[in-house]
Amino acid sequence: MALLPAATASLLAELATLADCQRADGYACITARRGHGASSVEIPQPQFAILLQGRKQARTARQALEFAPGDLFLVTRRCRIDVVNLPDPHSGLYLSAIVPLCAEALSAARTLWSGPLPDAGEAMARLPLADHGAHLLQWRRALESGDYTGARLALAALTVAFCRLGHGSLLVPPEPGLGERIRDLVAAQPARHWQSRDFEQHLGISGATLRRRLAGERLGLRELVGDARLAHAMQLLYTTRLPLKTVAARVGYRSLASFNRRFMERYGMEPSAIGNS
């Protein structure tokens, strides 16, 4: 890896202390002692990742990007990606911090924005971390002091900065399809025993309309529910240090073996490969 500028190295060092910050709610530090990859991972909301050690490769149907320490990996809207995380060859570690852009921060950014809306831009972007160092340090230090309002304001300022670079879908997200709305309902209560009538009630549509519209999106209800549960499990694995058995239970699996099998079938990797515990 090329030697980083001193300012970028210092910024990375301070952001790396997030791993020990007990007040850093809503972010994740991820470690993996061996490389791992996953196919068709759903990213449910805008977020950014700060590469601290190792490298990341991410691909959508339209883009293929690679990230290293000193890069900021921005996801501007809901999407699915194929991802590979590669540990640093010297330390043997992969380490990154993932920061969801919460609804409050996005709403504040919309309020702060003035002038014409920028173009939607691509779903993924690679940005120089140092260009956003001031806002990132403001966010980091607000977390350290437990000032969550200040942390959200820093994220709002970051969002405005991203939009000025042409990533307008942060301000005006695409209208979700029926399948995405169902995934969001399941993600809110992943352990619930969901039935068609539950979605009909929540969405205010008949069973026939539900089936017809899902057929139009080439989706099946049973597969949607299972996919949403596993996507929520992936999120828990990346954002918590919960034991695998607890993660499985939280997304509706009574058997860890069954959860491991389904996860492997869905993502092409074992949940233990993430290395979060």
Side-chain angles (χ1 to χ4, degrees), residues 64-123:
L65 299 176
E66 185 165 335
F67 304 86
D71 292 334
L72 185 149
F73 172 28
L74 175 65
V75 178
T76 66
R77 56 184 176 267
R78 186 178 203 144
C79 64
R80 290 189 177 229
I81 65 172
D82 296 337
V83 62
V84 177
N85 297 326
L86 301 169
D88 178 83
H90 302 292
S91 68
L93 285 175
Y94 172 85
L95 181 65
S96 74
I98 291 182
V99 185
L101 291 170
C102 62
E104 294 86 354
L106 293 173
S107 177
R110 294 182 189 109
T111 301
L112 291 170
W113 186 265
S114 61
L117 290 173
D119 292 337
E122 296 284 1

Side-chain angles (χ1 to χ4, degrees), residues 188-253:
Q189 301 181 65
R192 177 174 174 172
H193 185 60
W194 287 95
Q195 301 291 325
S196 178
R197 61 178 176 272
D198 300 320
F199 299 113
E200 295 161 24
Q201 181 178 359
H202 276 281
L203 300 169
I205 57 178
S206 68
T209 300
L210 177 68
R211 291 188 293 274
R212 184 175 66 253
R213 289 178 58 183
L214 285 178
E217 295 184 18
R218 298 184 178 180
L219 297 170
L221 189 59
R222 183 178 178 183
E223 291 75 14
L224 267 177
V225 172
D227 191 63
R229 284 176 171 153
L230 292 173
H232 188 69
M234 175 74 83
Q235 184 180 12
L236 289 174
L237 290 169
Y238 274 118
T239 60
T240 73
R241 296 182 182 272
L242 294 171
L244 287 180
K245 188 174 182 180
T246 302
V247 171
R250 287 198 178 184
V251 298
Y253 284 86

Side-chain angles (χ1 to χ4, degrees), residues 159-179:
T159 301
V160 170
F162 296 153
C163 290
R164 285 177 177 153
L165 295 173
H167 304 295
S169 59
L170 290 166
L171 295 179
V172 186
E175 188 69 25
L178 180 61

Side-chain angles (χ1 to χ4, degrees), residues 10-29 48 50 52 97-99 129 132-158:
S10 175
L11 176 59
L12 282 171
E14 181 156 356
L15 292 171
T17 64
L18 284 164
D20 301 315
C21 179
Q22 300 301 312
R23 293 172 172 168
D25 232 0
Y27 86 96
C29 275
F48 62 88
I50 302 162
L52 300 168
I98 291 182
V99 185
L129 185 71
H132 305 282
H135 293 316
L136 287 167
L137 290 178
Q138 180 187 353
W139 167 76
R140 168 68 186 91
R141 291 163 186 172
L143 287 177
E144 181 65 37
S145 63
D147 178 11
Y148 297 113
T149 298
R152 285 192 290 271
L153 287 173
L155 290 182
L158 267 171

